[in-house]
Amino acid sequence: MYQASKEQLEQFDKQHDYLASKLKLGKELLWLTKDECIAWGPTPDQVLDIVRDTMIAHGKGEYEMPAKIGIHPYEDVFFHAMPAYVPAQNAAGIKWIECFPRNPRQYGLPQTTGVQVMNDIATGVPVAIMDCTWITEMRTPAVTALSAAALKPGTEYFGMYGCGVQGKAHLRYIVRTLRHLKKIYVYDIYDEVAKRAIAEVQPEIDVEIVQAETSQEIAEKCETMSSATIILRDPLCVVKDEWISKGQTIVPCDMNTYFDLKAQYRADKYIVDSIEEHQLFADMGYFPEDKGLPHVYAQTGEILAGTKPGRESDDELIVCSNIGISVNDIAVGQAIMMRALEEGAGTILPL
Ligand SMILES: NC(=O)c1ccc[n+]([C@@H]2O[C@H](COP(=O)([O-])OP(=O)(O)OC[C@H]3O[C@@H](n4cnc5c(N)ncnc54)[C@H](O)[C@@H]3O)[C@@H](O)[C@H]2O)c1
């Protein structure tokens, strides 16, 4: 358990006074819709800064974040409870997120939905409830983009599998950290989804986005690849081990699903955002029972903090799996809440 320093406790009290000047704490809370989160939320560059600081704090052990607990009404869907305490941001709260992969096609709803509660760290009382889909949409590609830049900064060709909410957000973020990009290749199982993503994002970024003909094309052309498709207990292993070469960097946000598990086991370095979170999935049977989780070299935050070296040779095959950690949600949520309170935005609800 992380213990706050005397100085941090003073900060918590100072922040409490500020919150109490904006809301009748314990009697009221602030409700923020998705549009309000977007309007008052940090810019992508600010999200990158918040996420970088938070990942580094995580890498140094300055946080409290139990692994997700969840409910699973049927195969391959989940509700996850994701609490976190982030001392550096004076932030505490919990995200309650759902992932239902068939939502977009069957119900016209996003695959990922949820809300987040933010608390006053000095008294514990709830201060705000907000939509967390935008936060998730932003903080996830920020982690990929920071990891990719730390592990293969000279990347010229980046590949993205999955062109949904996360896929598009990844295109917007990756150009902010990989400064030598010449081309981005994208692939989605649905041709029209890939085309729509290119039409939507291309006007916003300078790097050319090209639709790959096959998933193999990306693996053969790109030094750094990411995937945001679907998380399954039985991996799809779409990207075959024999298509993957030495020197590549693979940064999936759908964990075990997309890249052949053989490549994940043979990687020179297997890095994860959180060992506990990955171990939890391994315990639930997401990795072969006889092998378990691949040997973890480091956590992503340790690489970003510089406490463990990232890439040490051009030849290393590196997999950096970021399944998503709530310290980032809570830190970004804190930034939104503080700005909204300052601006008088959102709706105050009685408790
Ligand atoms: N690691 C994290 O922090 C984090 C955060 C949010 C979402 N996710 C995960 O990312 C994934 C995508 O989330 P999203 O919100 O973008 O969902 P989405 O439904 O908007 O997009 C998923 C896309 O993947 C495509 N797809 C599915 N199977 C495919 C396949 N075999 N080959 C190629 N494309 C395929 C779909 O057609 C769709 O366009 C989910 O698995 C979700 O759980 C991870």
Side-chain angles (χ1 to χ4, degrees):
M1 205 168 71
Y2 180 82
Q3 291 295 332
S5 65
K6 191 167 162 283
E7 290 73 28
Q8 278 166 334
L9 290 173
E10 282 165 13
Q11 287 296 319
F12 298 167
D13 278 337
K14 219 166 131 191
Q15 181 174 277
H16 168 81
D17 292 344
Y18 173 79
L19 296 174
S21 74
K22 299 287 177 188
L23 283 175
K24 292 190 195 103
L25 290 179
K27 297 204 166 78
E28 294 176 341
L29 58 72
L30 184 67
W31 164 246
L32 293 169
T33 64
K34 180 178 177 185
D35 284 347
E36 286 161 345
C37 290
I38 297 171
W40 304 108
T43 63
D45 285 334
Q46 289 167 337
V47 171
L48 280 169
D49 288 342
I50 295 169
V51 168
R52 183 186 298 105
D53 290 349
T54 307
M55 293 298 287
I56 288 173
H58 181 266
K60 292 180 177 168
E62 295 162 4
Y63 68 96
E64 189 175 355
M65 186 190 70
K68 304 166 173 111
I69 57 167
I71 52 176
H72 311 84
Y74 54 93
E75 189 67 15
D76 295 328
V77 306
F78 57 76
F79 294 75
H80 278 157
M82 301 170 61
Y85 160 40
V86 191
Q89 320 276 352
N90 304 329
I94 183 166
K95 162 163 136 169
W96 177 235
I97 189 140
E98 304 85 49
C99 186
F100 281 62
R102 60 182 191 178
N103 273 1
R105 294 225 150 224
Q106 198 164 332
Y107 298 103
L109 288 168
Q111 176 171 182
T112 308
T113 58
V115 292
Q116 184 162 312
V117 180
M118 302 297 305
N119 297 77
D120 172 22
I121 201 154
T123 64
V125 300
V127 180
I129 300 183
M130 58 183 74
D131 171 86
C132 72
T133 53
W134 184 77
I135 296 173
T136 306
E137 188 179 332
M138 297 295 116
R139 65 66 154 150
T140 309
V143 174
T144 302
L146 292 167
S147 308
L151 295 167
K152 195 93 180 175
T155 299
E156 294 183 342
Y157 299 95
F158 174 78
M160 186 73 220
Y161 294 106
C163 297
V165 172
Q166 282 299 330
K168 287 184 285 186
H170 272 67
L171 306 183
R172 295 181 172 109
Y173 271 82
I174 203 72
V175 292
R176 292 172 189 275
T177 63
L178 291 181
R179 298 311 212 170
H180 302 280
L181 280 182
K182 290 189 171 152
K183 221 175 255 188
I184 298 173
Y185 288 88
V186 297
Y187 177 80
D188 195 284
I189 199 165
Y190 296 110
D191 176 65
E192 77 278 9
V193 174
K195 287 195 164 54
R196 269 206 307 273
I198 296 173
E200 187 182 320
V201 181
Q202 186 65 87
E204 300 172 31
I205 66 173
D206 289 337
V207 181
E208 186 189 1
I209 314 171
V210 177
Q211 184 179 359
E213 299 271 324
T214 61
S215 48
Q216 185 170 355
E217 186 186 352
I218 291 189
E220 287 174 353
K221 286 186 171 158
C222 297
E223 303 118 288
T224 301
M225 304 180 270
S226 182
S227 57
T229 58
I230 183 172
I231 297 175
L232 297 171
R233 200 179 297 270
D234 295 321
L236 295 174
C237 296
V238 174
V239 181
K240 302 289 169 236
D241 187 36
E242 52 272 26
W243 304 344
I244 295 171
S245 325
K246 280 185 163 300
Q248 281 181 310
T249 303
I250 301 176
V251 196
C253 36
D254 44 18
M255 206 177 57
N256 58 330
T257 304
Y258 212 74
F259 296 90
D260 202 329
L261 275 180
K262 279 188 222 141
Q264 309 203 33
Y265 285 108
R266 81 171 162 92
D268 297 294
K269 287 183 175 142
Y270 181 73
I271 299 165
V272 297
D273 52 358
S274 159
I275 294 173
E276 292 98 320
E277 300 286 356
H278 279 73
Q279 192 53 54
L280 186 78
F281 277 96
D283 293 345
M284 289 191 294
Y286 280 69
F287 290 85
E289 215 170 277
D290 54 329
K291 291 183 136 183
L293 197 62
H295 168 72
V296 176
Y297 161 74
Q299 297 191 112
T300 309
E302 295 175 294
I303 304 295
L304 296 180
T307 51
K308 286 208 179 147
R311 177 173 292 284
E312 291 171 286
S313 97
D314 289 345
D315 273 358
E316 279 179 324
L317 170 62
I318 300 185
V319 176
C320 176
S321 169
N322 298 302
I323 186 62
I325 51 178
S326 55
V327 285
N328 290 321
D329 299 290
I330 299 309
V332 175
Q334 179 84 353
I336 297 172
M337 178 183 80
M338 296 305 272
R339 174 93 196 280
L341 284 171
E342 190 58 32
E343 304 286 346
T347 307
I348 294 179
L349 300 175
L351 252 181

